[in-house]
């Protein structure tokens, strides 16, 4: 039956809160009607009205190969025929763990779970269990999933503990969470001075895709590593979004190139390693991971953890992205996009800055790259929203919020990028 996005949205809102199963999909930041997607192919998604969009969300990161890559479809179809879920160990879980370990120095063991939230929550519990400490630091603008201890906004003073960002999170659950400004060395040193020996860990998005695209500066990341080491706090890299996306070795490999000898202690992965199926992971040294059940005292479990269909999808995806030249080609397309956006904006006299790493990008209607969340939130949101809709009307699907990152896939061709840039040129002129 032919129907419209609006009709589906009205029907959805009767039976699903906000009509969506994840808030950002409701377009509330940008206004308008969410597109109900019926199918996807390569770099494109198609909505209920049959309209085609060039997709720069890619399911918020997982679809790095584009939609429906034949090798991934084949692997999933074959896995399905063998069974959907066993609740028992399988060889493919070993293969995926081995593949992740081979790509991320410092990870000797991983535990597979079903979402980034679960991975981040478990990594925090592991750091707390392994150190015997409760307090930890996160940064404003970084998102690590919706587990209670992580739904926190900055307290009043820099070294004061956080307040819940969500109803239903008791204050005493977040009283151990310290929220600091990103890229602020002074705030970091003050927090370690005040609480250093009580800190289980510092959790960070090394390239923060949840405030669009903000890199941790080299001095900041260097100081962060030093302070964690000096006080016995674990450095937890949340690479759910950046992992296997900004580079084959994730943001970790970017900082290892920039900071000699740099290494994080605990890693959180998701998105790309599931290839679009529910799969995430967390990992660390064997010594740290030994704390986890059934070996150690830190409990963690999951019915569908390491699901045989999801691991087939993830393995097939990783196999493609490890092919020679994959990231060079992906990074070139992404750079073509962001450089083209900057040039089109400049020609239209619109202030716009952008950045990208590998297949992840961000842009701001602003005159310089923001270094923290407070600055990101001062960028021109009204102009972003108008640009978002001008592009959507021209068949380009960008993230519906100025604090979200964008993603290019290996299926995006130079022709797709150029078509996007032509749409952007028209959109900037209309701004
Ligand atoms: P999930 O539980 O949504 O699989 O992962 C949580 C998560 C953890 N860590 C980082 C760095 C993340 O980016 C995410 C999830 N990212 C959002 C996009 N901003 C997913 C989109 C959504 O919430 O619908």
């Amino acid at each position: 039956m032919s129907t419209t996005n609006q009709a589906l949205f009205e029907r959805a809102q009767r039976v699903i809160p906000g009509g969506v199963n994840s808030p950002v999909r409701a377009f509330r930041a940008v206004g308008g009607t969410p597109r109900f997607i019926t199918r996807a192919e390569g770099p494109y998604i198609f909505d209920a009205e049959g309209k085609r969009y060039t997709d720069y969300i890619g399911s918020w990161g997982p679809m790095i190969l584009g939609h429906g890559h034949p090798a991934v479809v084949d692997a999933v179809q074959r896995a399905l025929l063998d069974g959907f879920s066993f609740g028992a160990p399988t060889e493919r879980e070993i293969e995926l763990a081995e593949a992740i370990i081979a790509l991320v120095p410092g990870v000797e063991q991983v535990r597979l779970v079903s979402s980034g939230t679960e991975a981040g929550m478990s990594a925090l519990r592991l750091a707390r269990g392994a150190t015997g400490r409760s307090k930890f630091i996160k940064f404003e603008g970084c998102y690590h999933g919706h587990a209670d201890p992580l739904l926190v906004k900055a307290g009043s003073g820099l070294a004061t503990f956080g307040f819940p960002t969500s109803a239903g999170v008791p204050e005493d659950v977040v009283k151990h969470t310290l929220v600091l400004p990103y890229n602020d060395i002074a705030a970091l040193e003050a927090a370690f001075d005040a609480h250093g020996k009580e800190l289980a860990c510092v959790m960070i998005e090394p390239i923060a895709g949840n405030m669009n695209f903000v890199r941790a500066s080299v001095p900041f990341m260097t100081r962060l590593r030093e302070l964690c080491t000096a006080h016995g706090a674990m450095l937890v890299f949340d690479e759910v979004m950046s992992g296997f996306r900004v580079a084959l070795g994730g943001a970790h490999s970017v900082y290892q190139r920039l900071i000699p000898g740099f290494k994080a202690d605990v890693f959180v992965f998701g998105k790309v390693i599931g290839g679009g199926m529910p799969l995430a992971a967390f990992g660390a040294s064997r010594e740290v991971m030994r704390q986890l059940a059934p070996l150690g005292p830190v409990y963690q479990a999951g019915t569908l953890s390491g699901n045989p269909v999801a691991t087939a999808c993830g393995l097939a995806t990783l196999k493609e992205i490890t092919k020679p030249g994959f990231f060079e080609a992906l990074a070139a397309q992404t750079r073509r996009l962001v450089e083209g956006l900057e040039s089109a904006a400049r020609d239209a006299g619109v202030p716009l800055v952008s950045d990208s790493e590998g297949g992840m990008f961000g842009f701001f209607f602003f005159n310089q790259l923001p270094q923290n969340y407070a600055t990101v939130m001062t960028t021109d949101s009204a102009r972003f929203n108008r640009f978002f809709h001008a592009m959507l009307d021209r068949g380009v699907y960008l993230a519906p919020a100025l604090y979200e990152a964008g993603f290019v896939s290996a299926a995006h061709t130079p022709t797709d990028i150029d078509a996007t840039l032509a749409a952007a040129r028209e959109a900037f002129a209309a701004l």
Side-chain angles (χ1 to χ4, degrees):
M1 97 185 149
S2 78
T3 183
T4 64
N5 293 305
Q6 186 55 36
L8 285 170
F9 192 36
E10 285 160 11
R11 188 173 138 216
Q13 290 177 82
R14 287 198 287 275
V15 291
I16 302 171
V20 292
N21 285 308
S22 198
V24 71
R25 304 176 189 173
F27 275 25
R28 295 178 77 88
V30 293
T33 302
R35 297 318 192 245
F36 280 69
I37 306 306
T38 55
R39 66 183 186 88
E41 185 185 322
Y44 310 122
I45 53 176
F46 300 82
D47 74 8
E49 297 169 13
K51 186 166 182 185
R52 189 191 86 171
Y53 302 89
T54 305
D55 179 15
Y56 289 101
I57 296 184
S59 180
W60 300 97
M63 308 318 292
I64 194 167
L65 301 178
H67 297 281
H69 188 287
V72 179
V73 172
D74 178 56
V76 169
Q77 283 176 329
R78 281 182 311 138
L80 279 174
L81 294 176
D82 289 339
F84 284 54
S85 181
F86 312 124
T90 64
E91 184 178 5
R92 238 186 336 257
E93 291 161 81
I94 308 169
E95 288 173 56
L96 184 54
E98 288 168 345
I100 294 167
I101 289 161
L103 291 172
V104 188
V107 176
E108 293 179 319
Q109 290 201 330
V110 294
R111 172 64 55 87
L112 304 179
V113 295
S114 300
S115 76
T117 290
E118 200 182 345
M121 171 182 77
S122 307
L124 173 60
R125 186 180 310 133
L126 175 61
R128 285 173 153 171
T131 59
R133 301 176 181 180
S134 301
K135 292 182 171 48
F136 76 101
I137 289 172
K138 75 172 288 289
F139 297 96
E140 197 175 29
C142 291
Y143 175 65
H144 304 294
H146 63 89
D148 282 0
L150 292 160
L151 289 182
V152 192
K153 62 177 179 281
S156 53
L158 281 186
T160 57
F161 287 86
F163 297 94
T165 53
S166 165
V169 176
E171 290 224 4
D172 59 15
V173 165
V174 301
K175 67 185 178 190
H176 301 298
T177 310
L178 197 52
V179 184
L180 301 181
Y182 201 77
N183 275 326
D184 184 331
I185 292 176
L188 204 55
E189 290 180 335
F192 270 92
D193 283 348
H195 306 289
K197 296 301 179 202
E198 303 167 272
L199 292 169
C201 68
V202 176
M203 189 178 282
I204 188 168
E205 281 186 65
I207 295 179
N210 285 287
M211 38 181 163
N212 195 314
F213 192 107
V214 180
R215 298 172 188 266
S217 74
V218 170
F220 176 74
M221 189 62 91
T222 302
R223 192 68 185 118
L224 174 56
R225 179 64 273 175
E226 286 167 358
L227 287 166
C228 284
T229 303
H231 293 270
M234 292 188 166
L235 179 53
V236 182
F237 255 34
D238 181 345
E239 292 230 50
V240 167
M241 191 185 285
S242 54
F244 312 100
R245 168 56 74 172
V246 300
L248 185 54
H252 194 248
S253 63
V254 172
Y255 284 94
Q256 286 202 310
R257 268 201 314 277
L258 294 168
I259 307 169
F262 179 84
K263 197 174 70 60
D265 300 309
V266 182
F267 297 79
V268 187
F269 300 117
K271 296 181 191 279
V272 168
I273 65 165
M277 298 287 281
L279 191 148
F282 62 104
S285 68
R286 187 170 285 103
E287 182 195 1
V288 169
M289 296 299 277
R290 186 179 296 127
Q291 297 293 319
L292 280 172
L295 301 179
V298 179
Y299 192 69
Q300 185 277 331
T303 302
L304 297 178
S305 294
N307 173 270
V309 181
T311 50
C313 193
L315 271 169
T317 300
L318 289 189
K319 187 173 174 195
E320 294 303 319
I321 70 171
T322 48
K323 285 180 177 173
F326 179 87
F327 272 94
E328 288 76 3
L330 182 64
Q333 289 307 325
T334 311
R335 268 197 308 276
R336 182 190 185 100
L337 174 68
V338 295
E339 286 165 5
L341 285 176
E342 285 203 3
S343 148
R346 196 169 35 249
D347 292 351
V350 173
L352 180 133
V353 289
S354 69
D355 194 359
S356 74
E357 187 73 35
M360 183 168 149
F361 69 92
F363 61 88
F364 302 90
F365 286 101
F366 204 55
N367 47 26
Q368 61 183 358
L369 279 174
Q371 294 302 303
N372 59 40
Y373 180 71
T375 309
V376 168
M377 296 319 279
T378 65
T379 62
D380 191 337
S381 60
R383 194 169 244 176
F384 173 87
N385 293 354
R386 289 200 301 275
F387 180 68
F388 170 83
H389 281 289
M391 294 295 272
L392 193 66
D393 293 345
R394 290 169 176 79
V396 179
Y397 195 71
L398 297 171
L402 70 79
Y403 45 80
E404 296 286 0
F407 305 95
V408 174
S409 83
H412 286 77
T413 66
T415 307
D416 294 312
I417 302 293
D418 290 347
T420 298
L421 294 175
R425 212 167 288 286
E426 290 176 14
F428 286 133
L431 282 191

